[in-house]
Amino acid sequence: MPEIKSIGILTSGGDAPGMNAAIRAVTRAAIFARWKVYGIHRGWEGLLHDEISEMTTEDVSNIIQRGGTILKTARSTEFMSPEGHRKAYDIIRSHSIDALIVIGGNGSLTGAQDLAREYDIPVIGIPGTIDNDLYGTDATIGYDTALNTIVECVDKIRDTATSHDRIFFVEVMGRDAGFLAQNSAIAAGAEAAIIPEDSTDIDQLAVFIKRGIRKSKNSSIVIVSEKDGGAMHYAERVRKEYPQFDVRVSILGHLQRGGKPSAYDRILASRMGMAAVEALQEGQRNVMIGIHNDKIINVPITKAVKMDKPIAQELINVLDTLSI
C-alpha cells in the first residue's frame, strides 16, 4: 500500500454525542503521525460538493465536550450511485487524500465500503450511532449518552404517571434495534419494553395489563422502539381493548441525539479515533474500529454492516423478572 501522507475525515448520517471527541482524536493522532488532515463537511453530500478544508490541532480545541458534529452531517442520495462514487473519488484524489476515516452508522459505513470496493482507497470506519446496532462492537459512540438522556426523561415522566395513575408509552429511537429501549427500561424501572427483536403480540400486551392489575399498580411505563407505529400504535390498542386505563404517549424524538457526551462516550471516541489512525499506520483497510471486553478491535466493515447484532436474552429476562 502506498505511503499515507494525508487523510480525510467525515461524519455522516444521524449525529451522535461524542462525534466531536472522535474528530478531535483522529485529527490530533494524524498530525502527531505527521500527516495532513482534511475535514470533509456535511458528510458524503459535502464531499460531492468539494466542501473540504485542512484541519489543524487548534481547529479541534474545546470540542470534546460538545454534542453534534463540527463537521456537520447530511444524507446523500447522489453518493449512493456508481456515478456518485466516481465523483467522490475524483474529488478525494484532487486533494491528494490517501485514506478516509468515516464516523457514522450502518448507512455511512456501507457507503464507505462501496467506495473502497470500487476504488483503491483505504477506508477505516468508526461506529457513531446512538442505536448501538453495528455488529462487532459492544458499544457505539453516542449510545451511552442517549441512554442516559432517555432514563432522565423517563424518571420525570414517572412522576406524572404516578400522580395521575396513568400508563405511559414512551417511544425511543431504534427502528431496527432495541438496545436503547431494552436497557433504558431496565435502568428506569419500567414495566415493559417493546422492541423489534422481541415483538409483542396481543397476548403479551394482555399479560402486561393483567399483571399491573394484580399488583394494584395503576401507573406504568412501557418503553417502545419507534418501529411499526411505535408508541401511538400500542396506546391506541389499550384505549380500544382496555378503556378503563388512562393512557398517554411521550415521543422523545431528537431530544435523544443532543446534549454533551458522557464521560464514557468521550473516552470511547478518543480511543477509537486514535485506533483508526493506528490501523492505517499498520496497513489496515476496510475495517471498523470496535470495542469488545474493553479492548479495541478491528472488524471487517462487511461484517459490521451486514450481520445482525443480537440483544442478549439475559437483558430481556432481567426486565421480565424485575418488573413484577
Side-chain angles (χ1 to χ4, degrees), residues 235-298:
E236 282 303 311
R237 276 188 48 201
V238 172
R239 288 190 183 107
K240 290 177 181 177
E241 299 169 32
Y242 308 96
Q244 70 271 32
F245 291 104
D246 189 9
V247 181
R248 293 292 186 275
V249 169
S250 183
I251 299 174
L252 299 187
H254 286 83
L255 180 72
Q256 299 158 81
R257 288 198 186 279
K260 294 176 180 291
S262 65
Y264 179 85
D265 273 330
R266 299 183 199 194
I267 295 165
L268 180 65
S270 298
R271 293 177 69 187
M272 286 183 166
M274 187 167 169
V277 172
E278 290 173 346
L280 287 174
Q281 288 176 308
E282 294 165 1
Q284 298 272 355
R285 57 194 300 158
N286 309 334
V287 298
M288 181 193 78
I289 306 301
I291 189 165
H292 180 60
N293 293 335
D294 203 34
K295 300 290 184 184
I296 292 293
I297 58 172
N298 295 334

Side-chain angles (χ1 to χ4, degrees), residues 76-93:
S76 178
T77 53
E78 182 184 359
F79 175 74
M80 295 177 186
S81 66
E83 295 76 18
H85 295 157
R86 176 79 244 182
K87 182 178 178 182
Y89 179 72
D90 289 342
I91 292 172
I92 288 168
R93 295 310 303 150

